[in-house]
Amino acid sequence: MHFVSEMTTAAWTLLEQSSLYILFGLLIGGLLKMVLSPAYVAAHLGKGRFKPVFKAALLGVPIPLCSCGVLPAAAQLKRQGANNGATTAFLVSTPESGVDSIAVSWALLDPLMTVARPVAAFCSAFVAGVMENLLDPNANRQPMRILPMASAPAAACAGTECGCGHEHPTLPAAGWGQKLGQGVRYAVTDIWGDLAGWFFVGIAVAACITVFIPDDLITRHLGGGIGSMLLMLLIGIPLYVCATAATPIAASLILKGVSPGAALVFLLAGPATNVAALAVLVKILGKRGVAVYLASVSVVSVLCGLLLDGLYMSLGISAAATIGEVAEFVPHWLMTGAAVVLLLLSLPLISRWFSLKGCRLA
């Protein structure tokens, strides 16, 4: 019972510290969905080895999708004309970051890690995309033409004088209030629906690490250096964990003595790769593309981890000492209220999530 009490306390503390920022991140993510459609993104990701990759890596950073959720979006981008390099960059940066994970990083980690995480995600995505285009003999071919949806020709050019001969009904423009409502619904049902189950699994794993794993064991094997980075790669690459769920795990590991660089490797490699997603990636990018994808994520993650450790050392900052400091400025009643709201929003989603997992295992 003593261990159960400690785990419950640790899990609730993490939930309180992160809930307000998760709600904020979900709101921003829902609004992004309203203004950034895959068709708009794909229009900028066609021909070229560098510019489309830069755009794809940059646009993928704030979008809150996990490594499996990003697959259909990336496949659609490629069908709409994005080249392999841009598709690869989008596949890397999107699951490694997101407004929700950035917000929860601010709550559970520290400002330096919060900034380093999306920057490292962009760098790994850009390198992966450029390498894919440089090694792809078909990279400079004209991408496939982006076609309008056949089921709605009128809607595609409504309100325009396109000369196609169709009658174009005038579609009412959605106001900002309606868009906000749509964004909130999308954030709660779709974004958080995909993340809720894994987030609470991450909270539970973080609580177990806090209670059961001795500090000296982690410090001895993951205290820093390239060896700890490679070990984090071995753990993170096959593991399925979304960027938001990985954050409390990383916070608990840092508190136990893991170097911030090793934690960053886990935060990048874990969300960007998993065994289930790799099988689908072969169909999207091909075997060579997947090899470039894995190599780029691995190498850039380790390099960014080593640079981050060096930065902390040069600044004389202890990552463990600064973990969760931002949350101390938020009133406790507000953190508790946000945790209760998040739990209420999550109960039907978690029930559905476990039902789906049970059906897949049956």
Side-chain angles (χ1 to χ4, degrees), residues 104-164:
V104 77
S105 296
W106 179 259
L108 296 182
L109 300 174
D110 63 21
L112 185 54
M113 282 286 286
T114 303
V115 173
R117 187 176 185 179
V119 170
F122 171 81
C123 291
S124 61
F126 183 73
V127 169
V130 168
M131 291 303 298
E132 171 63 27
N133 277 348
L134 291 177
L135 297 174
D136 182 5
N138 300 319
N140 274 334
R141 287 187 180 178
Q142 183 67 29
M144 67 180 70
R145 185 181 177 189
I146 302 175
L147 299 175
M149 294 291 289
S151 58
C157 50
T160 64
E161 298 179 359
C162 62
C164 65

Side-chain angles (χ1 to χ4, degrees), residues 293-307:
Y293 179 99
L294 287 174
S296 299
V297 169
S298 300
V299 172
V300 176
S301 297
V302 170
L303 290 176
C304 288
L306 292 172
L307 287 172

Side-chain angles (χ1 to χ4, degrees), residues 257-288:
V258 171
S259 75
L264 180 64
V265 172
F266 174 74
L267 288 172
L268 295 175
T273 62
N274 69 77
V275 174
L278 290 177
V280 183
L281 281 176
V282 172
K283 296 181 180 179
I284 298 176
L285 301 176
K287 293 180 180 178
R288 179 190 50 76

